[in-house]
Amino acid sequence: DIQVTQSPSSLSSSVGDRVTITCRTSQNIITYLNWFQQKAGKAPKLLIYMASTLQSGVPSRFSGSGSGTDFTLTISSLQPEDFATYYCQQVYSAPRLFGQGTKVEI
Amino acid sequence: QVQLQESGPGLVKPSGTLSLTCAVSGGSIISNNWWIWVRQPPGKGLEWIGEIFHRGTTNYESSFKSRVTISADKAKNEFSLTLNSVTAADTAIYYCAREGMDYATDYWGQGILVTVSS
């Protein structure tokens, strides 16, 4: 199985800050990586797929980069509605495991 | 717009069987997509359980493999999760979802809380 390691597990930030979350996989997954946002009591919401493709309707302040084993989710200017937990998921092969999550707090 | 809705018992006894169904609307389960189950224990992260393609091909996460079955009912346009020999550790919110093009998990159900308790 391809393991997924996400960091940090939590971070404190302020509105307007640039935020970066990283995801590392145990094998080369090319660009087969999803990023999700989850708010309390809600289902995850797809932000980015194929490492860097923005899902329709997602604000452009979200961006993804990386290939191989190292990936990054960047929020260019944090907004109040962005305080949530973020997960990466490798989708190169089954089982399509998730990272442990990063909670973005004030 | 594809919509998914989980249904099933919210309470299951220890050593019993957890059975959930995901009804798909606005799209066909026999389309070229994988249909997946994910769970989230209270206060914890997302756990990928497994997936099914409409032709019957399934993949499961190894820690569930011995006690999980995912099946599809094309006539009802729904797919199901069965998890045997449950314990309190299986208490979680269970989500069904669709893997679209490029494995983008783009549509999710609202989730259903299943508690394992006597």
Side-chain angles (χ1 to χ4, degrees):
Chain A
D1 297 357
I2 299 174
Q3 301 303 311
V4 183
T5 304
Q6 192 176 333
S7 62
S9 57
S10 66
L11 64 91
S12 294
S13 198
S14 301
V15 173
D17 284 355
R18 182 182 182 87
V19 169
T20 300
I21 298 168
T22 63
C23 187
R24 177 165 287 175
T25 57
S26 59
Q27 298 176 33
N28 183 351
I29 62 167
I30 313 176
T31 58
Y32 286 90
L33 189 96
N34 293 334
W35 286 100
F36 299 90
Q37 176 193 68
Q38 188 181 32
K39 297 183 179 180
K42 299 292 187 182
K45 173 188 173 183
L46 179 68
L47 298 176
I48 288 167
Y49 62 97
M50 292 301 285
S52 61
T53 303
L54 201 64
Q55 173 70 348
S56 176
V58 174
S60 59
R61 61 181 180 272
F62 291 94
S63 64
S65 63
S67 65
T69 61
D70 292 295
F71 302 87
T72 300
L73 173 70
T74 300
I75 310 172
S76 60
S77 177
L78 199 66
Q79 297 303 300
E81 60 268 30
D82 300 336
F83 291 95
T85 301
Y86 294 83
Y87 295 92
C88 59
Q89 180 200 21
Q90 72 82 15
V91 290
Y92 179 79
S93 66
R96 308 190 205 280
L97 302 180
F98 293 90
Q100 298 88 338
T102 297
K103 187 172 184 179
V104 176
E105 302 173 293
I106 300 174
Chain B
Q1 177 83 352
V2 175
Q3 295 186 30
L4 297 93
Q5 179 68 58
E6 305 90 350
S7 62
L11 181 65
V12 180
K13 287 184 170 24
S15 76
T17 297
L18 181 158
S19 295
L20 298 175
T21 296
C22 182
V24 179
S25 59
S28 173
I29 199 170
I30 62 170
S31 57
N32 197 30
N33 297 296
W34 289 86
W35 303 91
I36 73 169
W37 287 98
V38 172
R39 76 178 188 181
Q40 186 168 37
K44 296 190 177 181
L46 301 171
E47 299 179 353
W48 192 88
I49 300 172
E51 63 186 0
I52 187 166
F53 196 70
H54 68 84
R55 294 192 185 99
T57 304
T58 54
N59 294 303
Y60 302 120
E61 201 277 325
S62 51
S63 65
F64 296 101
K65 214 170 265 188
S66 63
R67 58 190 187 105
V68 68
T69 303
I70 296 175
S71 59
D73 187 328
K74 299 169 192 176
K76 293 183 177 179
N77 210 39
E78 62 187 30
F79 62 106
S80 299
L81 169 72
T82 301
L83 187 65
N84 300 318
S85 305
V86 296
T87 69
D90 294 309
T91 294
I93 297 172
Y94 286 77
Y95 295 101
C96 60
R98 185 190 85 161
E99 290 178 355
M101 280 183 56
D102 295 323
Y103 297 99
T105 316
D106 50 5
Y107 291 102
W108 293 71
Q110 65 184 23
I112 183 169
L113 174 63
V114 179
T115 301
V116 178
S117 174
S118 55

